[in-house]
């Protein structure tokens, strides 16, 4: 039932203040002022000790689920102190890459039945790793075959393009980072601001959704374009990849997410006065580097769309043709949850304006059960 919405993708984008709330429900414990705030992931209760002892955490998934893991990678590394590596499921299986008994392999899958991810799971089980699932579907094959895991509880997602599952997956992995990090004293202040940030997140997502009309106007400007580049770095490299995947998948427009740090190593050659380029430049430790990327793209007459933190328009805007999208600020590691929303909306509006099928893009299936 689409309710007041025209498409499931639209409904699922707008549902995110509620879906992220259900993802966190019962899992954030906020004590009184003297009590530490903690995270409780019931599904990991008996396995946290083993995870903490592991030599490496390997995130494994496909498509959007892989992007969600990438978005959470650095907070998991920071709070757990354990190295985190990323594997695209098919590539791990193709390479028969190293997976050891001392590894924790985390399988991220919205539906929990993706063939590539299941093959990678089989492979990791054979190699003796502890296998943890992060899925939206209770009773799915990945939920059943992993040793333990966490359901993201985002509610059923019908649009082929994954939207609300992405934001809930990131939240679960941020909670996973908090849970693995435990109550080490050195991380306590950081942990508390992240938990406060999680509690505030539904409001911030609601706020960013108010950009809907503004993004629709932006989509009108891009309707006839053939390509869109999206530059991100740090926590928001994944946002760039995910935004580009959405645009490609539903709007049937070529789009590429680019690590801004790689700009001079190739992509800069593409920049001219015609190609639209979105740059994610919200406040975090990489902000000044992104400001310099904007300057350099502008010096080559790039057609820029800059996403920045509310109030920063003047510090990122580079004159006339530059469009600015201002988003609310949240704790740095949670910012990808907010920042992806305007890109989801952009992909949605572009698709409608270009007259393509929103919920069932050509050639794609919601559940990829074959290799
Ligand atoms: C569970 C209940 C929830 C209830 C809550 C109350 C289920 C599905 N969830 O939620 O309804 O409100 O207790 O305390 O009954 N698992 C995997 N692999 C996965 C995902 C999950 O093995 O990919 C396992 C977990 O290790 C756990 C079980 O499935 O044993 C349920 O996981 P989850 O729903 O995340 O647990 P709770 O949040 O505790
Ligand atoms: O159900 P899964 O999360 O395992 O699906 C993985 C990908 O097939 C999926 O995320 C795909 O990339 C989406 N259509 C993206 O919107």
């Amino acid at each position: 039932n689409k309710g007041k919405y025209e498409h499931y993708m639209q409904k699922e984008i707008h549902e995110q203040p509620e879906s992220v709330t259900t993802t966190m429900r019962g899992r954030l414990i906020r004590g009184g002022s003297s009590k530490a705030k903690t995270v409780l992931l019931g599904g990991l209760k008996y396995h946290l000790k083993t995870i903490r002892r592991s030599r490496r955490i390997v995130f494994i998934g496909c498509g959007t689920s892989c992007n969600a893991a990438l978005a959470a990678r650095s907070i998991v590394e920071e709070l757990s102190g354990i190295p985190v590596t990323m594997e695209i499921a098919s590539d791990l299986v193709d390479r028969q890459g190293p997976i050891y008994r001392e590894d924790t392999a985390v399988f991220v899958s919205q539906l929990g039945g993706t063939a590539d991810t299941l093959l990678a799971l089989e492979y990791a089980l054979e190699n003796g790793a502890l296998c943890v699932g992060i899925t939206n579907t209770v009773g799915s094959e990945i939920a059943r075959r992993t040793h333990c895991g966490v359901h993201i509880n985002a509610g059923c997602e019908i649009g082929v393009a994954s939207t609300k599952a992405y934001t809930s997956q990131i939240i679960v992995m941020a909670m996973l980072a908090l849970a693995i990090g435990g109550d080490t004293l050195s991380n306590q202040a950081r942990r508390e601001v992240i938990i406060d940030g999680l509690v505030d997140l539904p409001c911030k997502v609601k706020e960013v959704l108010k950009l809907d009309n503004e993004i629709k106007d932006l989509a009108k400007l891009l309707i006839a374009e053939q390509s869109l580049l999206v530059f991100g770095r740090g926590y928001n490299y994944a946002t760039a990849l995910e935004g580009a995947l959405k645009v490609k998948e539903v709007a049937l427009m070529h789009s590429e997410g680019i690590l801004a740090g790689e700009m001079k190593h190739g992509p800069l050659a593409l920049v001219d006065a015609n190609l639209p380029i979105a740059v994610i430049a919200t406040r975090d430790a990489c902000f000044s580097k992104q400001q310099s990327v904007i300057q350099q793209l502008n010096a080559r007459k790039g057609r820029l769309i800059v996403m920045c933190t509310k109030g920063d328009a003047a510090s990122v805007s580079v004159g006339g043709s530059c469009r600015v999208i201002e988003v609310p600020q949240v704790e740095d590691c949670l910012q990808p949850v907010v920042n992806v929303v305007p890109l989801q909306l952009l992909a949605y509006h572009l698709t409608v304006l270009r007259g393509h099928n929103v919920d069932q893009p050509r050639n794609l299936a919601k559940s990829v059960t074959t290799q």
Side-chain angles (χ1 to χ4, degrees), residues 305-332:
I305 302 155
V306 179
M307 186 190 299
C308 70
T309 302
K310 216 171 229 177
D312 266 350
S315 4
V316 297
S317 185
V318 278
S321 65
C322 176
R323 309 276 305 196
V324 178
I325 305 167
E326 290 185 79
V327 300
Q329 182 167 23
V330 295
E331 192 59 17
D332 54 9

Side-chain angles (χ1 to χ4, degrees), residues 24-32 35-41 175 195 199:
M24 293 185 278
R25 184 162 293 139
R27 290 168 165 173
L28 296 180
I29 316 293
R30 303 179 81 205
K35 267 185 153 182
K37 302 160 184 167
T38 53
V39 159
L40 185 85
L41 296 172
M175 292 194 291
I195 294 179
V199 173

